[in-house]
Amino acid sequence: MPISMLESSIFKDMFGTAEMRSVFDDAATVRRYTETEIALAKVQGELGVIPATAAATIARLADSSKLDMVELKRETEIVGYPILPLVHQISKMCGPDGEYLHWGATTQDIMDTATVLQVREGLSLIEKDPAELDQILDRLALEYRDAPMAGRTHLQHALPITFGYKVSVWLLMIRRHRERLNQLKPRVLVGQFGGAAGTLASLGDQGLDVHAALMRELKLEASPVTWHVARDGLTETVQFLALVTGSLGKIALDVMLMMTNELAEAFEPFVKGRGASSTMPQKRNPISCELMLSASKAVRQHAGLALDAMVQDFERAPGPWHIEWAAIPESFILTSGALHQAKFMLAGLEVDTARMLKNLDLSGGLIVAEAVMMGLAPHIGRQTAHDVVYDACRVAATSGRKLAEVLHEDPKVSSRLERSAIEQLCDPANYLGAAPQMVDRMHAWKPKL
């Protein structure tokens, strides 16, 4: 029985997607191993490294679906790696021509290249979701471009913003991730073929030709030198996934806080029974946000593991490589799950602009104290204005009165500003700065793809 939430028949579709699991499951993994072995035989046959007839036989008869997985598991546990057991079985499938399988290769060549093929497929799936999120967030930002709400710093009222501005900040992260994904592909989608110590010695003067042909066959980038112990490409992939889920975690945290009864400004889409409590009928828990946040924390830990796996000794390291076997597939699956939850949650986000306005007015105008200070500064100086408004804020806060009333009663203010000017300065809707215009700028700013 599965013990991981990523494989659990109960939890797996909450934390990942079936599509992404199918990229990294056992069947997909041995299929990619076999694909790499076939490609190697094919190009070696074309170059005359092995008989062309043997290459043709291998291409025709090598079939990962016919592998005895029980035997593969048994032998892998003895050898420590799955490639020699895989070669044993495929060689038998191919008869005498199977002797030419895995010619000049080493286990890590096949496993790394197979991993890169899986990463390519995984990234192609990941790529679709930020593009969809981009459209969802762009629409949301434009819809609420001018909807005032309280901007909060250190969890306290800071200055007025608009909800569209907040969403535009989320959109900025997603668009930058789309750029990052496009930029990292040439560094990450690089095949591996170097032989025992990376020098291709067993292929003599044909080694580099085989290397180049194999990468062309698999449509992967070619590296000028073998990267057996240079793991930065795969590590960058996991860091990228951590960045994506980190941004989704930030969005989730914002929405979770806005869903609190005290704020009640935005809510996940209502689905009957979703987020219900077993004992409290009134509950509407932020389920998608919780899953996004947990994924961001888990992938962040995998990012640390991937960095740790970079520290490898000499030309082949004992141990660090194995860390990637968990970090890479789990990071992809968790990221796919978080993106799936984000699309659902944001596409149906319920926004209460009336409650945003009510919360904006909670402090009786204190949230625009900066506006009053800047309006008064030309008359009495900025620092003096700061001190005058600071004192008025303390009076308003302790007495529960409106800031505008307290300011009007202070001769240091009323002698300089008309009551109407004070009221205008204390209206949060008049102090949105460039927030609406930034929404427009974000709408116009497109990622470089």
Side-chain angles (χ1 to χ4, degrees):
M1 294 292 289
I3 60 170
S4 167
M5 64 185 183
L6 302 184
E7 298 174 343
S8 164
S9 59
I10 300 173
F11 296 115
K12 64 184 179 183
D13 289 329
M14 293 170 64
F15 288 94
T17 64
E19 229 182 348
M20 190 63 77
R21 285 194 301 274
S22 71
V23 174
F24 292 96
D25 64 18
D26 284 346
T29 300
V30 295
R31 185 172 65 251
R32 292 301 190 183
Y33 293 160
T34 306
E35 177 185 351
T36 304
E37 294 283 9
I38 292 172
L40 178 59
K42 179 181 177 182
V43 299
Q44 288 177 332
E46 292 170 352
L47 292 169
V49 176
I50 66 173
T53 53
T57 300
I58 291 169
R60 187 176 73 256
L61 297 180
D63 186 348
S64 64
S65 68
K66 295 179 180 177
L67 291 168
D68 182 338
M69 296 300 287
V70 174
E71 177 59 21
L72 185 69
K73 172 182 180 295
R74 186 195 69 79
E75 197 173 347
T76 298
E77 290 172 353
I78 295 170
V79 175
Y81 302 94
I83 300 305
L84 183 57
L86 178 105
V87 169
H88 284 166
Q89 292 197 42
I90 294 179
S91 294
K92 290 178 182 177
M93 291 180 198
C94 299
D97 286 334
E99 295 292 337
Y100 292 98
L101 190 72
H102 198 69
W103 199 267
T106 193
T107 288
Q108 192 168 349
D109 292 335
I110 306 303
M111 292 185 68
D112 278 350
T113 299
T115 296
V116 172
L117 292 172
Q118 289 174 303
V119 165
R120 181 171 66 187
E121 188 177 357
L123 289 177
S124 72
L125 295 179
I126 292 292
E127 195 167 20
K128 299 173 187 176
D129 291 331
E132 290 181 39
L133 272 179
D134 187 317
Q135 295 178 358
I136 292 168
L137 290 172
D138 196 30
R139 287 196 300 268
L140 202 58
L142 291 173
E143 182 178 355
Y144 295 101
R145 174 187 185 273
D146 303 305
M149 67 177 296
R152 300 174 175 94
T153 61
H154 301 273
L155 293 178
Q156 298 186 33
H157 279 203
L159 291 176
I161 61 172
T162 70
F163 185 59
Y165 167 84
K166 180 187 286 291
V167 175
S168 289
V169 175
W170 299 345
L171 177 58
L172 174 64
M173 296 187 287
I174 298 302
R175 287 191 173 163
R176 289 201 292 225
H177 293 322
R178 294 183 67 196
E179 283 192 349
R180 287 186 179 100
L181 177 52
N182 192 52
Q183 293 162 357
L184 66 80
K185 286 179 182 178
R187 294 188 295 270
V188 168
L189 301 182
V190 180
Q192 180 84 280
F193 185 65
T199 62
L200 292 168
S202 65
L203 294 176
D205 60 5
Q206 291 182 295
L208 292 177
D209 291 338
V210 173
H211 179 276
L214 178 60
M215 300 315 144
R216 285 195 299 272
E217 177 67 21
L218 294 172
K219 296 181 174 57
L220 295 174
E221 298 289 333
S223 173
V225 65
T226 305
W227 54 274
H228 285 159
V229 286
R231 314 304 292 177
D232 57 291
L234 292 175
T235 299
E236 182 179 3
T237 304
V238 182
Q239 308 311 302
F240 166 72
L241 298 175
L243 286 171
V244 171
T245 54
S247 293
L248 297 181
K250 185 274 185 290
I251 295 171
L253 184 58
D254 278 359
V255 175
M256 289 169 77
L257 290 172
M258 287 190 286
M259 278 186 70
T260 59
N261 298 99
E262 290 79 6
L263 297 185
E265 294 175 339
F267 300 88
E268 290 189 3
F270 176 78
V271 176
K272 184 176 175 61
R274 185 171 177 81
S277 165
S278 63
T279 185
M280 294 173 282
Q282 83 280 8
K283 292 297 290 295
R284 185 178 176 181
N285 294 321
I287 299 303
S288 288
C289 290
E290 291 173 5
L291 293 169
M292 291 161 63
L293 190 60
S294 66
S296 74
K297 293 176 182 293
V299 178
R300 188 159 62 246
Q301 298 307 308
H302 282 315
L305 285 173
L307 288 168
D308 202 355
M310 290 182 68
V311 184
Q312 304 205 5
D313 57 89
F314 299 123
E315 282 63 57
R316 184 84 94 262
W321 186 33
H322 299 62
I323 294 172
E324 296 174 353
W325 302 358
I328 293 172
E330 290 183 17
S331 295
F332 268 98
I333 293 168
L334 286 163
T335 302
S336 70
L339 285 165
H340 176 73
Q341 295 294 337
K343 288 190 301 180
F344 165 78
M345 184 268 287
L346 292 168
L349 191 71
E350 297 177 9
V351 181
D352 189 338
T353 55
R355 184 58 181 256
M356 288 176 175
L357 285 172
K358 183 177 180 180
N359 290 342
L360 189 57
D361 195 42
L362 276 176
S363 65
L366 293 181
I367 195 169
V368 284
E370 182 190 72
V372 178
M373 179 189 75
M374 295 306 292
L376 192 57
H379 302 284
I380 62 176
R382 184 199 175 283
Q383 191 55 50
T384 301
H386 178 280
D387 295 341
V388 169
V389 176
Y390 180 90
D391 291 340
C393 287
R394 301 287 68 75
V395 172
T398 55
S399 66
R401 299 167 64 201
K402 295 280 188 181
L403 177 61
E405 294 176 11
V406 175
L407 288 167
H408 180 67
E409 292 174 1
D410 187 338
K412 293 188 289 295
V413 178
S414 57
S415 64
R416 304 287 184 168
L417 297 174
E418 297 289 336
R419 185 174 193 127
S420 59
I422 296 173
E423 293 285 351
Q424 188 173 19
L425 288 170
C426 288
D427 183 352
N430 295 328
Y431 202 63
L432 297 174
Q437 289 74 31
M438 287 185 183
V439 174
D440 298 336
R441 283 158 56 95
M442 191 64 237
H443 173 67
W445 187 84
K446 304 301 181 185
K448 298 180 180 67
L449 303 176

